[in-house]
Amino acid sequence: MREFTLRQRMLPAFERGALLGLFWLATAGLAGMAAARPFWIRWEALNAYGEALDWTTAIGKGCGGAALVLLLVQALLGARSRWMDALFGLDLVYRVHRLLAVGILVLITLHPMFLHFYRPFAQELAWSAWPLVLGSLVLAGLWISAVLARFRRFVELPYHWWQLGHRLAAWPLLFGAFVHVLSVSEDYRRFPGIVMALLGLAFLVVLALRTRLLKRFGFARTPHVVQAVRPPSPEFPDAVELILAPQPGARGLQFTPGQFVFLLPESKAVPAEEHPFTIASAPDSLPRLSFTIRCCGDFTSRLGQLAPGDTVLVDGPYGRFSYAGLAPMNSPLLLVAGGVGITPMLSMLRTLAHEQDPRALCLVWSTRTREDVLHAQELRELEVALENLRVIHVFSRQRMSANLAERSGRLRPSILKDALAILPHTPQDPPPHAFICGPASMMLVARQSLLGLGMPARRIHVERFSL
């Protein structure tokens, strides 16, 4: 049986949770120090000179200092570094990125409100006070960036234009906030500890910027050549199977089944946009990579226009959604897929078949009709190659047939209960692990159903990833 290298394996849940806790503790500690510094200075002034404690100014400056710390952490999270993905998983990193954005917006909004509680804005926003003008521009820029990120689809802003603007605006806004905080007041300049901590965090951000620039100009991506672009089967003209191979002299990727990469085509037929796609092939097919992609958007609908010989830059692999590292050896697996969410399951099943893995397996795949089942012939072949694999198809828009392996309607607890009954569940057998990938609503139903059926949350793994 294939042994994945340590570089490919993901951290177990306990170590991941501990490191995530340390990350939050360090972030909260540094942000707390930055927020407490203005209070400490004014408390010293109160004891030394009997000056009144200006609570509103202290709160306002504390909010600004804490927001700067969170902005630096944001830049670190947004660099899409491999070590952050290995520690936490890129899906979790992006969710934390969104959560911190909300906290930053709250802090930067409270910052001027408390500072100008007794003083009108017009008295201080003069061009001679350039740090205040700079801070106002940063505040406006951060709000515009957040609103566009939240309502991009509503205003019909193309993804690639939003992504480019978001990334280009992030670094000037971060630099402007850093200069504003250290220039507008002596509260932080007079405290070397906080300044050194901020400079250390800024150094990590510079490294993150270096990583992002290297990727932007292709130095951190692996050039691949298109070998074939074809429908996964003749009856699916609205999907493509993209097969890539490394350019001569380029290193091939090493990945774990279930991981994904970012693809950036270099072809006049396809926009030069970077998008994530799950690798559908198994590691044993390296150096070739295979992707099954549903043509459901402006970008994916044009992938079929790629021609053999075109160059595609590949960045990755990323992700922790794999039985390797998350499920113990020989643990039964319940794979729940919705629509094109079958692609990571295909990679896992192909790998398990190549390894002749004897563990019990059950795939529950929800699609609209039988005609939406991609790679139907290969699935039948996988059922033969994997003696302990059982496949249950759920058709949301088709009536139930006499086939016991088919269900009609939406995915529901009774179907998952039947699937779990297929897997061994005696005290001597290892407990099963579930992997869920598909539309958000389907994944929520599947996870809640499995929890209701008594499966512990630590054995339920969900691929929550969206940009």
Side-chain angles (χ1 to χ4, degrees):
M1 187 174 293
R2 178 188 174 99
E3 287 290 335
F4 295 102
T5 65
L6 290 176
R7 183 173 181 272
Q8 290 172 278
R9 293 179 67 87
M10 284 72 69
L11 287 176
F14 176 78
E15 286 84 348
R16 186 193 189 200
L19 288 172
L20 185 60
L22 288 175
F23 168 80
W24 280 117
L25 185 62
T27 301
L30 189 54
M33 289 173 58
R37 178 58 180 167
F39 289 92
W40 180 255
I41 289 179
R42 282 151 185 81
W43 184 259
E44 287 181 332
L46 174 65
N47 292 330
Y49 309 110
E51 296 180 4
L53 186 59
D54 189 353
W55 287 101
T56 57
T57 299
I59 293 174
K61 291 188 175 183
C63 288
L68 175 61
V69 171
L70 297 185
L71 275 172
L72 290 168
V73 174
Q74 280 287 72
L76 195 61
L77 295 176
R80 208 169 73 200
S81 59
R82 300 283 181 83
W83 64 271
M84 291 289 286
D85 176 64
L87 289 178
F88 308 124
L90 205 58
D91 57 336
L92 179 60
V93 168
Y94 279 11
R95 292 203 304 275
V96 172
H97 186 76
R98 297 187 184 100
L99 181 63
L100 286 182
V102 176
I104 291 170
L105 286 177
V106 172
L107 290 173
I108 64 171
T109 303
L110 293 176
H111 170 62
M113 292 175 63
F114 278 101
L115 283 178
H116 297 276
F117 190 79
Y118 294 113
R119 291 168 293 179
F121 284 89
Q123 291 183 6
E124 294 197 14
L125 287 182
W127 286 106
S128 58
W130 64 267
L132 299 176
V133 176
L134 178 61
S136 301
L137 294 175
V138 170
L139 174 61
L142 288 173
W143 264 105
I144 292 173
S145 179
V147 169
L148 288 178
R150 180 63 180 86
F151 298 102
R152 174 181 62 85
R153 292 184 176 89
F154 179 77
V155 299
E156 298 182 353
L157 180 64
Y159 171 79
H160 63 284
W161 287 116
W162 166 81
Q163 183 188 53
L164 179 62
H166 192 73
R167 291 176 177 175
L168 289 179
W171 299 105
L173 290 174
L174 176 62
F175 180 75
F178 195 88
V179 172
H180 167 75
V181 169
L182 296 183
S183 301
V184 76
S185 172
E186 294 186 356
D187 286 11
Y188 296 103
R189 294 200 304 269
R190 290 164 51 192
F191 189 21
I194 285 185
V195 173
M196 292 302 296
L198 290 175
L199 289 177
L201 191 55
F203 174 73
L204 294 178
V205 171
V206 171
L207 294 181
L209 175 59
R210 173 182 174 273
T211 301
R212 176 63 73 182
L213 290 176
L214 287 175
K215 290 179 180 180
R216 177 63 186 169
F217 293 102
F219 297 108
R221 295 187 177 100
T222 305
H224 281 62
V225 177
V226 176
Q227 286 199 333
V229 182
R230 62 198 180 201
S233 54
E235 60 270 21
F236 289 104
D238 61 340
V240 296
E241 184 178 21
L242 177 64
I243 299 177
L244 306 177
Q247 283 185 353
R251 59 177 177 82
L253 293 182
Q254 299 295 320
F255 69 94
T256 299
Q259 289 188 299
F260 64 93
V261 297
F262 287 84
L263 300 183
L264 176 62
E266 290 188 333
S267 170
K268 294 181 179 179
V270 181
E273 302 175 17
E274 188 181 54
H275 290 267
F277 294 101
T278 301
I279 303 171
S281 53
D284 64 272
S285 65
L286 289 171
R288 298 203 319 169
L289 300 174
S290 174
F291 303 87
T292 298
I293 302 168
R294 177 80 71 176
C295 302
C296 56
D298 293 338
F299 178 80
T300 53
S301 61
R302 299 178 65 176
L303 285 178
Q305 301 178 28
L306 287 172
D310 285 345
T311 299
V312 177
L313 299 180
V314 179
D315 176 28
Y318 296 99
R320 305 179 72 257
F321 187 74
S322 177
Y323 67 89
L326 292 180
M329 190 72 69
N330 297 326
S331 175
L333 301 179
L334 171 61
L335 310 179
V336 184
V340 78
I342 190 64
T343 50
M345 314 306 184
L346 277 177
S347 180
M348 295 187 210
L349 291 174
R350 287 165 171 169
T351 303
L352 292 166
H354 176 75
E355 297 174 346
Q356 298 180 337
D357 196 302
R359 76 177 80 198
L361 304 164
C362 182
L363 170 65
V364 179
W365 188 7
S366 176
T367 57
R368 289 174 295 182
T369 65
R370 294 183 187 88
E371 288 69 31
D372 293 308
V373 178
L374 301 169
H375 302 284
Q377 179 59 36
E378 184 180 5
L379 274 179
R380 289 189 286 269
E381 295 172 357
L382 286 171
E383 284 192 273
V384 175
L386 293 165
E387 297 180 359
N388 294 323
L389 170 64
R390 299 294 179 268
V391 179
I392 299 177
H393 290 282
V394 182
F395 302 123
S396 61
R397 300 184 184 179
Q398 197 156 10
R399 293 182 179 179
M400 185 182 300
S401 68
N403 192 337
L404 297 178
E406 295 182 358
R407 304 287 194 277
S408 64
R410 299 287 183 179
L411 185 69
R412 52 193 181 274
S414 60
I415 297 176
L416 296 176
K417 183 178 180 181
D418 293 341
L420 287 174
I422 295 174
L423 302 174
H425 52 280
T426 63
Q428 293 75 25
D429 295 315
H433 281 247
F435 292 83
I436 308 171
C437 184
S441 57
M442 186 279 299
M443 292 193 295
L444 179 62
V445 169
R447 187 176 187 276
Q448 294 299 325
S449 299
L450 290 174
L451 290 173
L453 293 170
M455 178 174 282
R458 67 179 181 276
R459 298 208 305 267
I460 304 175
H461 314 286
V462 181
E463 179 72 314
R464 298 187 186 95
F465 191 87
S466 62
L467 294 176

